[in-house]
């Protein structure tokens, strides 16, 4: 779980260095924590490699996460949740 905080903080620092507004930075931090936690939960006991791309333009921030774990759709509201 330490890696979640480290990744979140690295991306947050990058966004701040590019003058992204605080509200967007906080939303990105929350999203990163949630998605990484879900990736870990979906791949319990497996070592997963992940790549993060952060794209910023004048109107939006996009964070693309690619990983070697199980494929799942984070937008699926009917997906089984593990807790």
């Amino acid at each position: 779980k330490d890696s979640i905080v480290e990744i979140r903080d690295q991306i947050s620092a990058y966004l701040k260095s590019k003058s992204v507004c605080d509200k967007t930075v906080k939303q990105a931090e929350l999203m990163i924590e949630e998605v990484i936690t879900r990736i870990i939960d979906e791949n319990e006991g497996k070592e997963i490699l992940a790549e993060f791309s952060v794209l910023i333009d004048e109107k939006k921030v996009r964070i693309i996460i690619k990983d070697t774990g199980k494929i799942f759709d984070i937008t699926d509201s009917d997906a089984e949740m593990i807790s």
Side-chain angles (χ1 to χ4, degrees), residues 14-15 18-20 54-62:
Y14 177 74
L15 293 172
K18 298 297 183 183
S19 301
V20 173
V54 180
L55 309 170
I56 303 169
D57 66 28
E58 58 277 345
K59 294 185 181 182
K60 62 185 167 190
V61 171
R62 288 186 288 168

Side-chain angles (χ1 to χ4, degrees), residues 7-32 53-57 60-63:
I7 293 165
R8 180 205 64 203
D9 289 350
Q10 287 176 359
I11 293 173
S12 177
Y14 177 74
L15 293 172
K16 289 175 184 177
S17 77
K18 298 297 183 183
S19 301
V20 173
C21 75
D22 288 340
K23 180 180 177 182
T24 300
V25 172
K26 291 296 181 195
Q27 290 172 332
E29 289 174 348
L30 179 60
M31 184 275 302
I32 291 163
S53 300
V54 180
L55 309 170
I56 303 169
D57 66 28
K60 62 185 167 190
V61 171
R62 288 186 288 168
I63 299 173

